[in-house]
Amino acid sequence: MSRLMSYREALNEAMAQEMRRDPRVFVYGIDVADHKRTFMSSKGLVEEFGLDRCFSTPLAEDAMTGFGLGAAIAGMRPIHVHMRVDFLLLGLNQLVNMIATQRYGSGGRFAVPMVIRAIIGRGWGQSFQHSKTLQSWFAHIPGLKVVMPSTPRDAKGMLVAAIRDDNPVIFIEHRWLYDVVGEVPEHSDEIRLDGAKVIHPGSDITVVATSWMNVEAVKAAEILKKRGVGVEVVDVRSISPFDCQTIIDSVQRTRHCIVADNDWTHCGFSAEVAATVYEACMGQLRAPIRRIGFAPTPCPCARPLENEFYPNAVSIIRAVEAMLKLSETDLSHEDFYSYENKFKGPF
Amino acid sequence: MSRLMSYREALNEAMAQEMRRDPRVFVYGIDVADHKRTFMSSKGLVEEFGLDRCFSTPLAEDAMTGFGLGAAIAGMRPIHVHMRVDFLLLGLNQLVNMIATQRYGSGGRFAVPMVIRAIIGRGWGQSFQHSKTLQSWFAHIPGLKVVMPSTPRDAKGMLVAAIRDDNPVIFIEHRWLYDVVGEVPEHSDEIRLDGAKVIHPGSDITVVATSWMNVEAVKAAEILKKRGVGVEVVDVRSISPFDCQTIIDSVQRTRHCIVADNDWTHCGFSAEVAATVYEACMGQLRAPIRRIGFAPTPCPCARPLENEFYPNAVSIIRAVEAMLKLSETDLSHEDFYSYENKFKGPF
Amino acid sequence: MKEKELNRYLYQKAYLIRRAEAAIRADYASDKMKTPMHMSTGGEAIAAGVCQALRPQDQILGTYRSHGIYLAKTSETDAFFAEMYGKATGVAKGKGGSMHLTAVDHGLICTSAIVGTTIPVAVGAAYANKMQKNGKVVAVFFGDGAVDEGVFWESLNSACVMKLPVLFVYEDNGLAVHVPAEQRHGYKSIIEIVRQFNCNVFSSETTDPEAVYNLALQAIGAMNKYQQPSFLRLAYYRYLEHVGTNEDFNSGYRDRAEFERWRKADPVELQRKKLGKWFSEGEITAIERTIDEQVEGSIKRADEAQFSQPQALYEDVLA
Amino acid sequence: MKEKELNRYLYQKAYLIRRAEAAIRADYASDKMKTPMHMSTGGEAIAAGVCQALRPQDQILGTYRSHGIYLAKTSETDAFFAEMYGKATGVAKGKGGSMHLTAVDHGLICTSAIVGTTIPVAVGAAYANKMQKNGKVVAVFFGDGAVDEGVFWESLNSACVMKLPVLFVYEDNGLAVHVPAEQRHGYKSIIEIVRQFNCNVFSSETTDPEAVYNLALQAIGAMNKYQQPSFLRLAYYRYLEHVGTNEDFNSGYRDRAEFERWRKADPVELQRKKLGKWFSEGEITAIERTIDEQVEGSIKRADEAQFSQPQALYEDVLA
Ligand SMILES: Cc1ncc(C[n+]2csc(CCOP(=O)(O)OP(=O)(O)O)c2C)c(N)n1
Ligand SMILES: Cc1ncc(C[n+]2csc(CCOP(=O)(O)OP(=O)(O)O)c2C)c(N)n1
Ligand SMILES: [Mg+2]
Ligand SMILES: [Mg+2]
C-alpha cells in the first residue's frame, strides 16, 4: 500500500520503522532532539524511543563522527545527522582516515554499519558556509557509499537500505526536496543503493541529474515536451557505487548528454559522469557533453547573485536547445514554482 | 646561473630566499623546527631566521590552519607545513569554510596570502592513513590554488610564486621526488602557477601526468622510444587553475591520451582531465582515454599488495601498448630504479 | 576619559545596536533582507563594553551573531544595512550577508557562520601583531556552544603556550540554538578550567556596559602585564529566537519568566538610567534622535541602492 | 587473584612485550618487516598493568604505538608477527601493519596512526556498551601529544556529559615526536584541568606494573561507582626513537642521562625482581623461556607464511 507523503515524512517513517524493527538503530547529532527536530525529519522519535535513541549532542562534529564509528563497531547501528553538510567538514578526519578504512584495516574482521545524513541545498541567503554539497569528495574515497535520493519513495527506501547496510553510507538530502510529495509504500522495502533510474523518458537527449537538479530537469523536460523535444532524465541516485550502465544505455539511445549536478563542476561528480559516458559512447555522441553546475565561486548571499550562482530548469532548457540547435523556447508563460517558498525566511 | 640540486634543496632555497626578501614570510607546522626539519626541507631556517619565523606547533591542525588565515589577514605571509596531506583532513573546515571564502566574503576587501605545503607519497608500508593525495578535493573548491610540481626547478620556482601569490595555495610534494636532482636557477624566479608543461616530446600518444607519475611516465616514454613509439608526457603541474590548453594541443597532435594521476580515479582529477580532453577533441581521438590511478581501495601495508595498489612505469607502458595495439615490450632487461630506496625504513 | 563621556559613548553604542536591530525587526517580514538574522538584542552590554575598551586599531572577530560588535566597533550603519539588504554598497557587496561582516579599516577582521571558526583566526592575528610589534589587541567573541568544539581548546592552548596578546570573549547565554549548556558541558565551570591554563580569567554576570568596559580593561591590562591571553566570560540573556527576529518563549525550551528577570536589568535601559547623572532627559533624547536618524537614513539608502551586477558573482574569488 | 599469580601474570605480559620488541629490533634491519615501527619499550608497565586490570570482554583502543597493549591484552604472537611481516596470516592479512592492530575477539577494537583518532571511537563504544547494558569497560590509550588535538577535548567533554564508562589512559612520555610537552601545553598540569570535568582523575609516575594495575582497578572502580569516565595519567620514558628501532640520544633533543635515570626503575626488571619473592631464579627463567619460544615460533611461522594473493588488495573494502 502506498500513500502520498512528503520527502520529510518519508525520511521520518524510514527511521521510525527501522528503530522499531532493530533496537540497535539510534539517531544523534547536533539539535536532532530539539523541538525543531532537524526540519521535523526526526519528529516523534524522542517520544517513541526515548532520549537514549534520539539525542542532541555537544557541538563536536569531529568526536561525534568517531563516536558513531565506535558505536557501530561495538554493535549498534548509528545514524548521525548534520543539519548542513558543511558541518561535516569538521568530521572528515574521522570519516576518511577512520570510518572508510576500518573494515579494510582489520582485514575484514568487522563492519561499520553507520549512516551519515547530511542536508544540503539553498536556503535564504545563507551564503558560502551553508551551501556546499561535496558528493564528489565522499565518492572519491574507497570504503564509503554515497547516495542522493530525490523522491519521497527513494528517500524512504534508500534510507531503509542504508540503515540495514553494513557499510558507512553518506545520505545527502536537499532541503528543498523536503516538501516534495509523492507515493511512498507503507512497508519498509529497501531500494538498492547502487542504481540510477530513468525518471522521465525521452528519446532526443539525456539529462543526468543529481538530487534537486532532478526536479529542475523534469520541469525542463515537461516544458520541452510541449514542443516535441524528448528529454530523458536519469536520476543518478547513487554516487558511489556509481551505476553508469543506466546512464550509458540512455545516452546510447539519445546520443546527447547533459550532466546537471547539484555542485561545482571542476573536479566534481559531473566530470566523472562525463568521462565515463564519453568512454562508453566513443563515436556515438552527436555533441560534446555539457556539464551544468554551480558557478565557480563561493555561494553569495544577495538574491540576484544567488540566482546567478545556482543552475535551474531554465539553464537546462537553454543547454538542451543549444545542443540540439533549437531556437529558444518562449518561457514567459511558464510557471517556475520555487520550493524555496516553503523554506521562507530566516534560514 | 643554474646548479644541480635536489627537489628538497630547491624547496629549502625557495623558502630561505623568500624569507630573506620578505620579513612577512614565516614557516610553521608540527615538527618543522625539530632536528629532522621536515625531511630537511626546512634546513637552516631556524638558524638564519630564528624560532619566531620557523617554529613547531602543538598538534592542532584545525586551529593551526585558522592561525595561518589570521596571520595572513593581519599582514603576514605564512607557510604551513604538513608532513602528510592526511593530517590536513583535520584542517579542512578552516581551509574550505574559511580560507577559501574570506576574500569573496569580504567583497574583495582583503587577500589571503598563505601557502600550505603538504607532503604525499609512498613510504615504507605506511598503509591507509599516510598515503592520500586529495588534489581533486582541493581543486574542487573555488578560492584555492592547487599545484603539484614534479621537478627541482618547478619546486623552487613554483614555491617562490606561491609565497608571493596573494591567494591561498596548496602546494603538494611527493616525497620520492625529494631526492630527484635537476638544474635549478640561483635567482628566485617565479614559475607560473597556472601552466602545464610538455616534459618529454612525442607524437604517438599523450600521457598527462601529475606529481611522481611524471617520473614514471618519462621512464615509460624512454623505454618505448627505443622501439620507436613517441610518448609525449605533459606535466599538469597546476591542478587549479587548470591549464587544459597545453594538454589539448598535445592530444590534438597525438590523438591518443592516457591520464596517469597520482590518486584514485573515481571522481578524481583524472576525470576532470578526461572530460575536458574529450570535449575539446570530439571526433579526433582514436581511442577512449585511459585513466590510470591508485586501486579503488584503501592503501594496504604489505609490499606485494602495495605494489598492486600503486601504478608505475610498467602500468603506463602496458596501457600505451594496449591503446596503440602494440605487442608487449620485453621489460626483463629494464632497470626500474626506485627512489623509495632513498626513503628506506622506517617511515 | 571622563566618566561622563565614557558613559555617553557606551550608551551610544548600546542604543545603536538596540535601535538598528529594532529596525531590522520592523522590516524583516517584508522579505527585503534575505539573509539569516541572529540577533544581538539583550547582549548589548558586551559589545558596547568590550569594544569601548578597545582602541580603533585593535581588532575583533565574531560569529554569525555579530551585529552588536560590528556596530559598536565601527559606529557605521550605511555599509551595514546595505549588506543586510544585499546591496552592492554593503560591506561585502551583498556577498556575505548578516553572518559575514567585515570592516578592516575599523579592525573588524571577520565573522563566521561556522561555530568556533574565528577563534584560531584571532590567535593567528595576535601572532602577526606580536611579530609586527604593533601593539594591537585582538578580541574574539564566541558563545557557550563554541567551547564544545575542539578548535576552541586547540586555540586556547596554542595561544597560552605561545603567549599571545588575544582576548577571548565568552558570550555566555547558556544556549546553543535550543540546547542548554548543562546538556553539552561535562563540567561545572568553564572558568575554573581555563584558570588552569596560562591565561588570565575574568567573569561576570553584569548587564552594565560600564562594568563590562572596566572588566575588559582589566583583562587587557593583565594580558599586557603577564604577556599571556585573557579570557573574559560575560553572561547575558538572548531575548529573541536563535535565528530570526521573533520571540520564542512559546516553543517550550525556555521560560518567559527567565526573560522577565533579565529584562529588569536590561543593558540599554540600565545605561540610559545612568546617563541621568550627567545629562538631562532632553539631552539623552537628542543623543537617541541622532542615532535614530542615522539608522533611518542608512536604511533608506540601503533600500534604494542597487544590487551588485550579475558579473560581480565572479569577482573577488581570487586576488 | 593471589598476589603471586597476579605478579606472574604482570611479568609475563611485561616480558612478552619487551621480548617481542627485542625480536623486532633484531630482525628489522633485514627489511622483512616493511612497516613503520613505533616501539613500546620502556612503557611495559602501563600496557601490562592496565590490561591486567581489564577483563577479557573489556575493550581497548590505542595508537600506532600499540605493540604493548596488543600483546598484553591478547598474549597472542602468531597473528601479531605475521602482521609485522605483512603476511596473509596477520591480524589484518598484512593490510594494516604495525600501526593498525585489531583483535576483536580479545577486545582490541583498533589502533590508529592519526594522533587522537581513537579517543572518540572509544567514547562511542562506551555508549554502545551502556545501551547494551553489557557491563564492558572501554580503555583508550593515547599520548601527551594527543591532548593537543581538539578531538581529545571534544571526546572528554562528551564522555563526561554523557556519563560514559570509558577509561582514558594518558601515556605521558613528555614528547610528541621530538617536541617536549612544555612547548606544546599552555598549562602546568593536565590532571588539574581534567579534575574540573565530571571525571575521576588518577596520576602516577610509577614504572611498577603492579602499581599501575592497582591504580587502573581504582580508576575502573571509580568509573563504575560515580558513573562517569576516569582519566588515568601514567608517566613513562620512551627508550627508543619516535619511529624506528634504534636509540636516538645523539640527535640532541634529549639526554642519555635522563634515560639512565629511568632505566634504574626499568618496568620489566623491576617486576622480575619482585617475582623473587615467590619464584626461584629457575622458575623465572622457565617463564621467560616459554615466552621466548612462543616468540621465536611465531616469528618463524610469520617468516614462512605467504603474503596475501594480489586479488586480496580488492577485498574487505566494503562488507
Ligand atoms: C560547526 C557548526 N556546527 C553546527 C552549527 C549550527 N549552529 C549554528 S549556531 C549554533 C549554536 C551556537 O551556540 P553558541 O556558540 O552558544 O552561540 P549563540 O548562538 O548562543 O550566540 C549551532 C549549533 C554551525 N553553524 N557550525
Ligand atoms: C593528526 C596527526 N598529526 C600529526 C601526526 C604526526 N605524528 C605522529 S606521532 C606524533 C606525536 C604524538 O605524540 P604522543 O601523542 O605524545 O604519542 P607518543 O608518540 O609519544 O607515544 C605526531 C605529531 C599524526 N600522525 N597525526
Ligand atoms: Mg550560546
Ligand atoms: Mg608522547
Side-chain angles (χ1 to χ4, degrees):
Chain A
M1 256 284 289
S2 279
R3 301 90 2 112
L4 284 178
M5 58 167 55
S6 69
Y7 189 98
R8 171 196 329 267
E9 289 161 338
L11 293 171
N12 185 246
E13 190 169 86
M15 291 196 293
Q17 289 181 349
E18 287 307 295
M19 289 172 82
R20 254 167 242 145
R21 202 182 62 82
D22 187 343
R24 297 170 303 175
V25 179
F26 71 90
V27 189
Y28 73 108
I30 295 174
D31 298 330
V32 299
D34 77 4
H35 63 280
K36 299 212 171 173
R37 301 282 157 86
T38 316
F39 303 121
M40 283 302 154
S41 65
S42 54
K43 188 176 162 188
L45 302 184
V46 174
E47 290 72 10
E48 183 172 351
F49 305 103
L51 277 169
D52 278 353
R53 294 183 63 197
C54 180
F55 55 94
S56 298
T57 70
L59 280 60
E61 287 85 353
D62 186 357
M64 285 300 125
T65 307
F67 176 95
L69 172 61
I73 300 177
M76 306 298 291
R77 304 186 81 86
I79 305 173
H80 191 188
V81 185
H82 292 274
M83 203 81 95
R84 280 282 170 192
V85 79
D86 310 67
F87 307 157
L88 192 40
L89 281 163
L90 284 86
L92 285 178
N93 179 39
Q94 282 292 332
L95 187 68
V96 175
N97 276 328
M98 295 293 286
I99 292 175
T101 62
Q102 288 309 292
R103 180 175 172 75
Y104 198 77
S106 69
R109 299 267 143 81
F110 54 76
V112 181
M114 178 173 179
V115 179
I116 298 182
R117 287 180 47 205
I119 297 169
I120 60 164
R122 266 181 94 161
W124 201 247
Q126 84 276 27
S127 75
F128 45 84
Q129 291 179 333
H130 286 64
S131 49
K132 282 175 277 295
T133 311
L134 300 179
Q135 68 270 34
S136 65
W137 278 34
F138 305 128
H140 185 55
I141 306 300
L144 301 176
K145 295 190 176 183
V146 186
V147 299
M148 302 178 87
S150 76
T151 66
R153 175 185 296 266
D154 287 348
K156 178 168 176 189
M158 294 176 83
L159 186 49
V160 167
I163 295 169
R164 295 184 190 169
D165 200 284
D166 273 338
N167 298 291
V169 180
I170 314 292
F171 196 94
I172 301 176
E173 310 157 10
H174 192 295
R175 44 196 251 162
W176 283 9
L177 291 170
Y178 269 46
D179 290 298
V180 172
V181 172
E183 292 265 328
V184 178
E186 271 176 22
H187 287 295
S188 56
D189 302 326
E190 291 185 42
I191 293 179
R192 50 192 281 223
L193 297 178
D194 60 354
K197 188 180 176 183
V198 175
I199 58 167
H200 188 281
S203 54
D204 298 320
I205 189 165
T206 301
V207 176
V208 181
T210 56
S211 192
W212 176 258
M213 290 310 289
N214 281 287
V215 176
E216 303 286 351
V218 168
K219 180 81 189 172
E222 284 165 356
I223 291 172
L224 287 164
K225 195 174 185 174
K226 291 191 265 181
R227 57 182 286 203
V229 180
V231 177
E232 180 143 303
V233 180
V234 186
D235 182 355
V236 176
R237 300 202 295 191
S238 303
I239 312 300
S240 185
F242 170 40
D243 167 21
C244 54
Q245 202 50 52
T246 302
I247 295 164
I248 291 166
D249 290 346
S250 173
V251 177
Q252 284 179 336
R253 272 186 284 106
T254 65
R255 293 160 155 254
H256 293 94
C257 178
I258 291 172
V259 188
D261 189 23
N262 196 85
D263 195 7
W264 289 301
T265 56
H266 189 62
C267 292
F269 176 64
S270 64
E272 181 64 42
V273 176
T276 306
V277 170
Y278 273 123
E279 178 172 344
C281 304
M282 265 296 272
Q284 300 175 64
L285 285 166
R286 295 248 168 83
I289 295 171
R290 171 74 190 282
R291 290 192 267 156
I292 294 175
F294 300 163
T297 73
C299 178
C301 172
R303 182 59 50 96
L305 298 179
E306 209 186 18
N307 285 340
E308 280 291 301
F309 177 82
Y310 286 107
N312 57 24
V314 177
S315 342
I316 295 171
I317 291 169
R318 297 300 174 225
V320 169
E321 291 160 349
M323 192 175 286
L324 299 180
K325 304 202 166 52
L326 302 171
S327 62
E328 285 205 351
T329 312
D330 174 13
L331 300 173
S332 56
H333 301 292
E334 295 295 341
D335 176 29
F336 292 99
Y337 175 73
S338 168
Y339 277 84
E340 166 200 36
N341 293 324
K342 301 238 180 172
F343 257 100
K344 195 159 179 156
F347 233 102
Chain B
M1 255 286 286
S2 279
R3 301 99 353 117
L4 283 178
M5 56 166 56
S6 68
Y7 190 97
R8 172 196 329 268
E9 290 162 337
L11 293 171
N12 185 246
E13 189 168 88
M15 291 195 293
Q17 289 182 349
E18 287 307 295
M19 288 173 82
R20 255 167 241 144
R21 205 183 59 83
D22 186 344
R24 297 171 303 174
V25 179
F26 71 92
V27 189
Y28 74 108
I30 295 175
D31 299 328
V32 301
D34 76 6
H35 63 278
K36 299 215 169 170
R37 299 281 157 86
T38 318
F39 303 120
M40 284 302 155
S41 64
S42 54
K43 190 175 160 188
L45 303 183
V46 175
E47 290 72 10
E48 183 172 351
F49 305 102
L51 277 170
D52 278 355
R53 292 182 66 197
C54 180
F55 55 93
S56 298
T57 70
L59 282 58
E61 287 85 353
D62 186 359
M64 284 300 124
T65 306
F67 176 97
L69 171 62
I73 300 178
M76 305 299 290
R77 303 185 83 86
I79 305 174
H80 190 190
V81 185
H82 293 273
M83 203 82 92
R84 280 283 170 190
V85 79
D86 309 67
F87 307 156
L88 192 40
L89 281 163
L90 284 85
L92 286 179
N93 179 40
Q94 283 292 331
L95 187 68
V96 174
N97 276 328
M98 295 293 286
I99 292 176
T101 62
Q102 289 308 293
R103 181 174 172 76
Y104 198 78
S106 70
R109 299 263 144 82
F110 54 76
V112 181
M114 177 172 181
V115 179
I116 297 181
R117 287 181 47 205
I119 297 169
I120 61 165
R122 268 181 94 160
W124 202 248
Q126 83 277 25
S127 74
F128 44 85
Q129 291 179 332
H130 287 65
S131 49
K132 282 175 277 295
T133 311
L134 300 179
Q135 68 271 34
S136 65
W137 279 33
F138 305 128
H140 185 56
I141 305 300
L144 301 176
K145 294 190 177 183
V146 186
V147 300
M148 302 178 86
S150 75
T151 65
R153 177 186 294 268
D154 287 349
K156 178 167 178 188
M158 293 176 83
L159 186 50
V160 166
I163 295 169
R164 295 183 191 170
D165 199 285
D166 274 337
N167 298 292
V169 180
I170 314 292
F171 196 93
I172 301 176
E173 309 158 9
H174 193 294
R175 42 196 253 162
W176 284 9
L177 292 170
Y178 270 45
D179 290 298
V180 171
V181 171
E183 293 265 328
V184 178
E186 272 177 22
H187 288 295
S188 56
D189 303 326
E190 291 183 43
I191 293 181
R192 49 191 283 224
L193 297 178
D194 60 354
K197 188 179 176 186
V198 175
I199 58 168
H200 187 283
S203 54
D204 298 319
I205 189 166
T206 301
V207 176
V208 181
T210 56
S211 191
W212 175 258
M213 290 310 291
N214 282 287
V215 177
E216 303 286 349
V218 168
K219 179 83 188 170
E222 284 165 356
I223 291 173
L224 287 165
K225 195 174 184 174
K226 292 191 267 179
R227 58 183 285 204
V229 180
V231 178
E232 179 144 303
V233 181
V234 186
D235 182 356
V236 176
R237 300 202 294 191
S238 303
I239 313 298
S240 184
F242 169 41
D243 167 21
C244 55
Q245 201 51 53
T246 302
I247 295 165
I248 291 166
D249 289 346
S250 173
V251 177
Q252 283 178 337
R253 272 185 286 104
T254 65
R255 291 159 157 255
H256 293 93
C257 179
I258 290 171
V259 187
D261 190 22
N262 195 87
D263 194 8
W264 289 300
T265 56
H266 190 61
C267 291
F269 176 64
S270 64
E272 182 64 42
V273 176
T276 306
V277 170
Y278 274 123
E279 178 172 343
C281 303
M282 264 296 272
Q284 299 174 64
L285 285 166
R286 295 248 168 85
I289 296 171
R290 173 75 189 280
R291 291 193 264 157
I292 293 176
F294 300 164
T297 73
C299 178
C301 172
R303 181 59 50 95
L305 298 179
E306 210 185 17
N307 285 341
E308 280 291 302
F309 178 83
Y310 287 106
N312 57 25
V314 178
S315 345
I316 295 171
I317 291 169
R318 298 301 175 224
V320 170
E321 292 160 348
M323 192 174 287
L324 298 180
K325 304 203 166 46
L326 303 171
S327 61
E328 286 205 350
T329 313
D330 174 14
L331 300 174
S332 55
H333 301 291
E334 295 295 342
D335 176 30
F336 292 99
Y337 175 74
S338 170
Y339 278 84
E340 167 201 35
N341 293 324
K342 303 239 181 174
F343 257 99
K344 195 159 177 154
F347 233 103
Chain C
M1 195 183 304
K2 284 222 282 302
E3 217 188 329
K4 171 180 170 182
E5 222 183 323
L6 169 68
N7 275 285
R8 179 166 52 80
Y9 280 135
L10 286 167
Y11 185 61
Q12 282 170 328
K13 285 189 185 342
Y15 183 79
L16 172 61
I17 299 168
R18 181 65 57 91
R19 183 62 187 78
E21 289 204 330
I24 291 173
R25 296 185 71 189
D27 199 26
Y28 199 52
S30 77
D31 260 354
K32 285 184 188 166
M33 290 177 269
K34 291 185 200 297
T35 174
M37 293 288 183
H38 300 75
M39 308 295 273
S40 303
T41 306
E44 291 89 345
I46 302 176
V50 175
C51 291
Q52 184 64 39
L54 298 170
R55 300 154 308 169
Q57 69 270 31
D58 291 336
Q59 294 159 330
I60 60 171
L61 302 93
T63 69
Y64 46 87
R65 193 184 304 289
S66 287
H67 297 162
I69 61 168
Y70 178 98
L71 296 166
K73 189 78 165 72
T74 68
S75 302
E76 183 294 318
T77 46
D78 272 359
F80 174 81
F81 277 108
E83 193 63 29
M84 301 297 138
Y85 284 81
K87 300 303 176 69
T89 46
V91 291
K93 307 175 187 166
K95 287 174 179 174
S98 160
M99 307 193 290
H100 300 288
L101 300 173
T102 51
V104 186
D105 299 340
H106 293 96
L108 171 53
I109 291 184
C110 65
T111 68
S112 168
I114 305 288
V115 172
T117 39
T118 52
I119 306 176
V121 180
V123 176
Y127 187 75
N129 291 336
K130 191 172 180 180
M131 282 193 77
Q132 293 168 103
K133 300 192 174 58
N134 60 21
K136 287 183 192 173
V137 168
V138 182
V140 55
F141 296 77
F142 54 89
D144 56 293
V147 301
D148 297 9
E149 298 279 5
V151 74
F152 163 71
W153 299 95
E154 292 185 0
S155 304
L156 174 70
N157 179 56
S158 300
C160 290
V161 81
M162 297 172 85
K163 301 180 173 304
L164 297 179
V166 53
L167 173 64
F168 296 103
V169 185
Y170 179 70
E171 300 188 280
D172 189 358
N173 62 19
L175 287 172
V177 189
H178 312 111
V179 183
E182 309 84 72
Q183 287 176 32
R184 295 177 289 101
H185 292 177
Y187 45 81
K188 274 159 241 51
S189 157
I190 183 99
I191 56 171
E192 291 309 321
I193 298 176
V194 180
R195 259 194 240 291
Q196 304 295 332
F197 284 76
N198 301 329
C199 186
N200 318 296
V201 176
F202 302 84
S203 175
S204 170
E205 312 257 330
T206 186
T207 55
D208 174 2
E210 193 182 3
V212 170
Y213 164 83
N214 285 320
L215 213 54
L217 276 190
Q218 271 184 53
I220 294 165
M223 190 179 86
N224 292 329
K225 181 167 171 201
Y226 300 108
Q227 293 287 306
Q228 62 182 25
S230 287
F231 183 94
L232 174 55
R233 170 183 169 270
L234 296 165
Y236 81 101
Y237 192 77
R238 192 189 79 209
Y239 286 11
L240 304 174
E241 55 189 337
H242 168 69
V243 54
T245 60
N246 302 308
E247 294 189 343
D248 66 351
F249 300 107
N250 54 2
S251 52
Y253 73 95
R254 61 175 184 172
D255 200 2
R256 176 178 285 277
E258 207 188 344
F259 167 58
E260 297 300 350
R261 271 197 308 280
W262 283 87
R263 189 75 184 72
K264 290 204 184 97
D266 178 76
V268 184
E269 282 174 24
L270 210 141
Q271 187 62 20
R272 189 182 205 281
K273 271 199 212 104
K274 278 160 59 188
L275 284 203
K277 198 169 151 192
W278 304 281
F279 299 96
S280 69
E281 176 64 22
E283 283 169 328
I284 298 175
T285 313
I287 291 172
E288 293 171 346
R289 279 306 72 76
T290 309
I291 291 172
D292 294 346
E293 279 160 27
Q294 178 188 341
V295 168
E296 281 151 25
S298 291
I299 289 180
K300 188 158 179 295
R301 284 185 289 280
D303 200 10
E304 289 165 3
Q306 300 291 309
F307 284 109
S308 287
Q309 290 302 305
Q311 78 270 16
L313 170 67
Y314 302 94
E315 294 162 4
D316 307 322
V317 179
L318 292 174
Chain D
M1 197 181 304
K2 283 219 281 303
E3 218 188 329
K4 171 181 169 182
E5 219 183 325
L6 170 68
N7 274 286
R8 179 166 51 82
Y9 279 135
L10 286 168
Y11 184 61
Q12 282 170 327
K13 285 188 184 347
Y15 182 80
L16 173 61
I17 299 168
R18 181 66 56 91
R19 182 65 186 78
E21 289 203 330
I24 290 173
R25 295 184 70 188
D27 197 27
Y28 199 52
S30 77
D31 259 355
K32 287 183 187 164
M33 290 178 268
K34 293 184 197 298
T35 174
M37 293 289 181
H38 301 75
M39 307 296 271
S40 303
T41 306
E44 291 88 346
I46 302 177
V50 175
C51 291
Q52 184 64 41
L54 298 171
R55 298 155 308 168
Q57 69 271 31
D58 290 336
Q59 295 159 329
I60 60 173
L61 302 93
T63 70
Y64 46 87
R65 192 184 306 289
S66 287
H67 298 163
I69 60 167
Y70 178 97
L71 296 167
K73 189 78 166 72
T74 68
S75 302
E76 183 295 317
T77 46
D78 273 359
F80 173 81
F81 276 107
E83 193 63 30
M84 300 299 137
Y85 284 81
K87 300 302 176 68
T89 46
V91 292
K93 307 175 186 167
K95 288 173 178 173
S98 160
M99 306 193 291
H100 300 288
L101 300 173
T102 51
V104 185
D105 299 339
H106 295 95
L108 171 53
I109 292 184
C110 65
T111 67
S112 168
I114 304 289
V115 172
T117 38
T118 52
I119 306 176
V121 180
V123 177
Y127 186 76
N129 292 336
K130 191 173 180 178
M131 281 192 80
Q132 293 169 100
K133 299 191 175 56
N134 59 21
K136 287 183 193 173
V137 168
V138 182
V140 56
F141 297 76
F142 53 88
D144 56 293
V147 302
D148 297 11
E149 297 280 5
V151 74
F152 163 72
W153 300 94
E154 291 186 0
S155 303
L156 174 70
N157 179 55
S158 299
C160 291
V161 79
M162 296 171 87
K163 301 178 175 306
L164 296 179
V166 54
L167 173 64
F168 296 103
V169 184
Y170 178 70
E171 299 188 280
D172 189 359
N173 61 17
L175 286 173
V177 190
H178 313 110
V179 183
E182 311 82 73
Q183 285 177 34
R184 295 178 288 102
H185 292 177
Y187 45 81
K188 273 159 246 46
S189 158
I190 183 100
I191 56 172
E192 292 308 321
I193 297 176
V194 179
R195 262 195 236 292
Q196 304 295 331
F197 284 77
N198 301 328
C199 187
N200 317 299
V201 176
F202 303 83
S203 175
S204 171
E205 313 257 330
T206 186
T207 55
D208 175 0
E210 193 183 3
V212 170
Y213 164 83
N214 284 322
L215 213 54
L217 276 190
Q218 270 184 54
I220 294 166
M223 192 181 85
N224 291 329
K225 178 165 172 202
Y226 301 108
Q227 293 285 306
Q228 63 182 24
S230 287
F231 183 92
L232 174 55
R233 170 184 170 270
L234 295 166
Y236 81 102
Y237 192 76
R238 192 189 77 211
Y239 285 12
L240 305 173
E241 55 190 337
H242 167 69
V243 55
T245 59
N246 302 309
E247 294 189 342
D248 67 349
F249 300 108
N250 55 1
S251 52
Y253 73 95
R254 61 176 183 171
D255 200 0
R256 175 177 284 277
E258 208 187 343
F259 167 57
E260 298 299 352
R261 269 199 307 283
W262 283 86
R263 189 73 183 71
K264 291 206 184 95
D266 178 77
V268 183
E269 283 173 24
L270 209 141
Q271 187 63 21
R272 189 182 204 280
K273 272 199 212 105
K274 279 162 56 189
L275 283 203
K277 200 169 149 190
W278 305 280
F279 299 95
S280 70
E281 177 63 22
E283 283 169 329
I284 298 175
T285 315
I287 291 171
E288 292 171 348
R289 280 305 73 77
T290 309
I291 292 172
D292 293 348
E293 280 159 26
Q294 177 188 344
V295 167
E296 282 151 25
S298 291
I299 289 181
K300 188 158 180 294
R301 285 185 288 280
D303 202 9
E304 290 165 3
Q306 302 291 308
F307 284 110
S308 288
Q309 291 303 305
Q311 78 269 15
L313 170 67
Y314 301 96
E315 294 162 2
D316 308 322
V317 180
L318 291 175

